[in-house]
Amino acid sequence: LALANTVYFAAENIDNLEVLMPQVLTIANKHRALTVQPEHYPIVGKHLLDAVAEFLGDKATEEILDAWTAAYNLIASIFINIEKDLYAKFDQDQRDKGFVPLTIIKKERVASGPIIALTFQRSDGGKMYKFHPGQYLTLRIKKGNFYHNRHYSLTHPFDGKTYRIAIKQELNRVPKGVVSNEILNHYRKGDKILASFPAGTFALIKTAKDHLFIAAGIGITVFSSMIRDLHRQCKADRATLIHCVPTDDYAAFAHEMRSILPKNQYHLLTQGRHVLQGLIRDTIKPNTHVYVCGSISFMNKVEEYLLECNHPSSHIHSEAFRPILSTIKNAAKNESHTKSL
């Protein structure tokens, strides 16, 4: 669906594809992390275009299908070229373009949920690649006859030798998180797990004078790395964190955040949305860059609060753990008159 929407909006904005480039880069990074290759595009394209033909029925003239084929080939070529550049950093060791085994050297509970933090190290003599705060690590497990992949935000800036993530166990969600539960239930310290190296476009805005981070639950993971990085640069006084959790014991990294951030710039909220709305209104400054991470409904609500404060959309940055079609839709909303699929 994410790919179909990308093709759809590419066709809608065929003379202004630049409007889609931030989202194309986001998807291309996910493709690189999942080891998508150029030869996969014709396969996906065939079935996508078969679906278009089936949906249109009698309206699927040769001319229309040729136009959609051209649109798909155009967007595919853009993805392939971008992904070629992303893979190029691994040219010295071809192994590193795919999944490599990392060893779990630490596993500990950091909050209720439960939320478990894991630290990984490479033990085959290969290189550990630098990343910027905001990026994610992709883990792969095999369950039955199938491989399953999942992206996890890195929780600490790169120290030159380890990667660190935190996983919330999905016990009450349907469907339950296959990768997360498999890792937490069956992987122990000393075990190896397949991973592809860090990817992602979410990042701190370097020119920002003030940063406001708004997280719900496990959404704190990506901000943990970014705030620690600001602290390392002696810029923690420019950051404010609002972390929404059911109760205090669900707040991962609370001790570290309290020690890093000024007292009045760390807010742990266990109350309703009206409190969050008021706190945003009292905290926001005209030039503040705001970073939001949580469920889709949470992020939409926070964005609504920010727009009520007349905060510019260019200063609002969202990170979702799952692909959201509205990402593409919102990119084109000022240039397009169509709706997402």
Side-chain angles (χ1 to χ4, degrees):
L1 280 173
L3 176 62
N5 271 269
T6 306
V7 175
Y8 185 53
F9 282 107
E12 181 66 19
N13 295 275
I14 202 72
D15 295 320
N16 187 25
L17 288 177
E18 291 79 10
V19 71
L20 295 180
M21 288 313 294
Q23 283 67 39
V24 168
L25 285 170
T26 296
I27 298 171
N29 269 264
K30 289 180 180 287
H31 285 176
R32 199 285 296 160
L34 297 169
T35 66
V36 170
Q37 300 295 327
E39 58 266 28
H40 297 151
Y41 281 92
I43 301 168
V44 174
K46 176 187 181 303
H47 293 285
L48 179 64
L49 294 165
D50 285 348
V52 170
E54 182 179 334
F55 178 79
L56 291 177
D58 293 340
K59 297 178 182 179
T61 65
E62 183 177 351
E63 184 180 18
I64 286 175
L65 291 179
D66 285 347
W68 280 108
T69 299
Y72 176 80
N73 289 337
L74 175 61
I75 198 70
S77 67
I78 292 172
F79 276 118
I80 289 169
N81 287 332
I82 292 172
E83 288 155 21
K84 181 180 179 181
D85 291 339
L86 294 175
Y87 281 115
K89 68 182 291 185
F90 307 110
D91 281 349
Q92 291 185 350
D93 192 334
Q94 294 299 311
R95 295 176 303 169
D96 297 347
K97 293 185 176 183
F99 284 83
V100 301
L102 299 182
T103 302
I104 301 171
I105 62 171
K106 191 174 184 180
K107 183 180 180 182
E108 60 178 341
R109 179 181 171 129
V110 293
S112 294
I115 296 174
I116 309 298
L118 297 104
T119 304
F120 304 94
Q121 198 169 52
R122 191 168 184 177
S123 53
D124 64 356
K127 179 179 178 180
M128 290 286 271
Y129 290 83
K130 187 178 181 180
F131 62 89
H132 69 251
Q135 290 193 301
Y136 51 80
L137 187 71
T138 303
L139 300 183
R140 168 173 285 183
I141 58 104
K142 189 173 185 181
K143 191 171 176 64
N145 294 321
F146 298 96
Y147 285 107
H148 300 266
N149 311 295
R150 177 114 185 226
H151 309 302
Y152 295 99
S153 296
L154 291 144
T155 59
H156 292 64
F158 188 46
D159 62 4
K161 56 185 178 180
T162 62
Y163 298 142
R164 289 186 270 189
I165 65 170
I167 302 175
K168 179 184 177 183
Q169 188 148 34
E170 301 287 0
L171 298 173
N172 301 317
R173 210 180 89 186
V174 179
K176 294 181 178 179
V178 173
V179 179
S180 295
N181 287 329
E182 184 72 13
I183 292 171
L184 296 183
N185 292 335
H186 300 293
Y187 284 77
R188 303 286 180 263
K189 179 180 176 181
D191 289 346
K192 288 182 171 59
I193 189 167
L194 291 175
S196 70
F197 289 106
T201 58
F202 196 61
L204 287 165
I205 304 301
K206 293 181 180 180
T207 57
K209 292 184 178 180
D210 295 292
H211 308 267
L212 173 59
F213 302 93
I214 306 175
I218 192 65
I220 186 63
T221 52
V222 64
F223 297 154
S224 170
S225 178
M226 299 167 93
I227 292 170
R228 292 173 200 268
D229 188 52
L230 287 170
H231 177 61
R232 192 162 63 175
Q233 299 176 52
C234 298
K235 297 179 180 178
D237 60 319
R238 300 183 186 180
T240 298
L241 170 63
I242 301 174
H243 190 189
C244 302
V245 290
T247 58
D248 288 3
D249 56 311
Y250 281 81
F253 311 120
H255 176 72
E256 295 95 323
M257 294 299 104
R258 284 195 182 98
S259 66
I260 289 172
L261 295 169
K263 185 177 181 181
N264 62 344
Q265 291 173 216
Y266 175 59
H267 305 278
L268 196 58
L269 289 192
T270 58
Q271 303 174 54
R273 287 181 171 176
H274 291 298
V275 176
L276 173 60
Q277 184 177 15
L279 185 55
I280 290 173
R281 187 173 56 247
D282 295 341
T283 304
I284 202 77
K285 299 176 185 176
N287 293 320
T288 301
H289 278 267
V290 185
Y291 311 82
V292 188
C293 187
S295 67
I296 304 303
S297 60
F298 175 81
M299 293 194 299
N300 287 341
K301 185 58 66 174
V302 169
E303 183 173 351
E304 180 184 314
Y305 294 156
L306 290 166
L307 295 178
E308 286 175 3
C309 296
N310 296 315
H311 204 63
S313 58
S314 60
H315 285 42
I316 303 172
H317 316 282
S318 299
E319 171 75 338
F321 294 120
R322 294 180 290 113
I324 51 174
L325 304 186
S326 60
T327 301
I328 299 296
K329 178 181 172 185
N330 288 340
K333 65 184 177 184
N334 295 325
E335 307 291 337
S336 170
H337 299 293
T338 59
K339 296 179 181 179
S340 61
L341 298 177

